Amino acid sequence: MPQPLARFAGPLLPVFGTAAVTALLWAGTAPAALFGIALAQWAAASGRTKTAQGFSALVFIALLPGFFSYVTPEALISTGQWLAAVSAVAPEAALTQVRPPLLATLALMLLALIPLLRQRARLGAPLLLAGAGLLVAAQLACRLWPLPIAPLLAPGFGVWLAPLAGLTLSQLLLARARWQGKPRLNRALVPASALLCAALVLWQYQYRHVETRLHDATRQEGDVLAGRLADDVHRQLDAMRRFAHAWQLLHTSPSARQWRRQAARLYDDDFRYLVNIAFIHPDSRIIHVYPHSRLNTSVRGQHLFAAQPQSRPVIEAALSGRGQTSTGIIELLQGGPGIIYYLPMRDADDTLTGAAAMVISLPLLADTLFDALRPDRALWTWHGPRRVLARFGSPSRPGPWRHRYRLDLSGQTLEIVQRPLRDYLLARRSRLPAITLTIGLVLAYLLYMVLYTLRRLGEQNVAFQRSNAQLQEEIDERRRLQQAVEWLAHHDELTGLANRRRFLEQVDSLRDAPPLSLVLCDIDHFKRVNDQLGHLTGDEYLKAVAGIGQAVMAEYGGFFARYGGEEFIGCLPGAHHARACHAADTLRQRLFQRALRQADGSRVSLSAGVVTYRGGRFDLPHMMQAADDALYRAKRQGRNRTESAAPLAE
């Protein structure tokens, strides 16, 4: 689309689309829903999320009434009420014309929900698409493996199945990029789809069972009616045979009075289809007729051979005594189609006196059958040879089933066809399959949401644990660094001894417990070591002095520190001056015995100054100065020796 046209059509798309969908609703819900979903997918692909949601909501709302008509409990809203509501809105439309089949309705609703959920996997959009695909496949399966009977409610979508499948595929292509790279999606989608497949299988079983059971039930109703009517005619014929045999007690033909009295007992209001009971003379004249209606009186005296020549063989067989006979469907003398049964009559001498005729009017017989029926349930037609004898019921909106019944009337077979009306069948049809499938969809969606949420929470928990472990490692590293910094703040990095700051803090903490002695040491000619042997050797010598000094001071109950450069200092709490001097000499001697060499081969030696605080006012700087002065004297007097400062007292 050119850019100027796109800028113009974009804002007007919701208006034009809504008008088009609304207009299509008058043509049918199915095309309107398909068109609306197509517009929603196009808008979503163009980045118009709000427009896509608007079309989807319009389609979803339009499908809701039809969906509720499938699953609302019968006790709450009956099918009759749904039919009345449809008739009130569209008098000429049937319920099946204003709603798609169940599978198509559910598939369209699922496709409409996906844009409403913005195609988000965490809201179940992948399962909705999978459900739509399975519903399309189920409709195709119903077309490939149809019911053995014509379905009352076609589960397939007919000509709209191909567009529905196309919309499902296009929705998959539209949303696939959003759902890729999410392992938790398949772990939730597969079990939920399996549950949905199970629900579809159960629905298919119930759907076939309900359709077949309803088909058999309506057929059985017709069987009962036809059988009851046939039994009724047979009972009447049995009564007629007894009537004919009863005249064998007489020695003459029955008089009019006798005939009227005996026929009145046989003629009953339950046999309203009897036109008359007549006595036929051997010459085929009608002698007696009961009841004495105007039509019956008009036929008395007529010769049947002349009036009904097509039935002459049947009449002759009865008049000759060969047994019971009956005509086919003929036009009665009183008018209208009917059947006449003839029974031979004999007197007490076994002489043939004539025949008794029982005239049955087929329209009246049909009325007897139809009296037990309601016209809003089925269209009934009574077929004779090459013509329809009677009709009953409404011909509007017939159902897909035709039930045919053979009515045997003692040698005469008639066919009755029942075609149940669709509205009546819908009112009797169980909604259990639709409810089962809907519940299966809901359970599958809930299972997907639970599994997806659990997987997502599991991944978040793993990520949280990983972050927590990394954070703990960082905390430990910071703690180690902090400890290292704190250690470096109070120790010498090279020798590991306490530094000058730490040493002074420790000594100051002992000021209230005299005596307290300090030993200040210095490596003799250490500059030569660095200059001539190198700083690495100098560092090794410093470490050696640190080790020896720390060991000696520990033996005497004190501690050792690096004071700076090549100077070291020891503290001996509770040690008198003589003990401190002895400790200093021990340190000096052990270093000398270590045989650390200068560049010229001479041994490295150590000079020390000792000072002791005996009590009184504690002045640490003064003590340090006194120890330094004693060390300086040891240096001037030849090094490798220990000098004492004057004891500090009150």
Side-chain angles (χ1 to χ4, degrees), residues 6 163 194 242 248 271 273 320 324 337 345 362 366 417 440 448 483 581 588 596 601 618 641:
R242 291 192 298 271
Q248 292 181 353
F271 303 105
Y273 47 83
S320 63
Q324 174 184 316
M345 291 179 57
L362 292 182
V417 178
Y448 171 88
Q483 291 174 350
C581 291
R588 181 182 59 80
L596 301 177
F618 184 79
R641 58 186 297 125

Side-chain angles (χ1 to χ4, degrees), residues 9 27 55 153 252:
F55 285 133
L153 291 179
T252 61

Side-chain angles (χ1 to χ4, degrees), residues 363-415:
L364 294 178
L365 184 62
D367 290 341
T368 301
L369 172 67
F370 296 151
D371 278 349
L373 304 177
R374 290 178 54 178
D376 58 346
R377 292 186 175 182
L379 173 62
W380 294 80
T381 53
W382 195 334
H383 296 264
R386 298 179 298 277
R387 65 171 173 169
V388 176
L389 301 176
R391 282 190 177 88
F392 179 80
S394 172
S396 63
R397 293 202 276 265
W401 303 330
R402 294 176 184 268
H403 302 312
R404 299 180 182 275
Y405 312 95
R406 298 289 180 178
L407 184 61
D408 183 13
L409 301 180
S410 296
Q412 301 298 324
T413 302
L414 303 178
E415 184 182 61

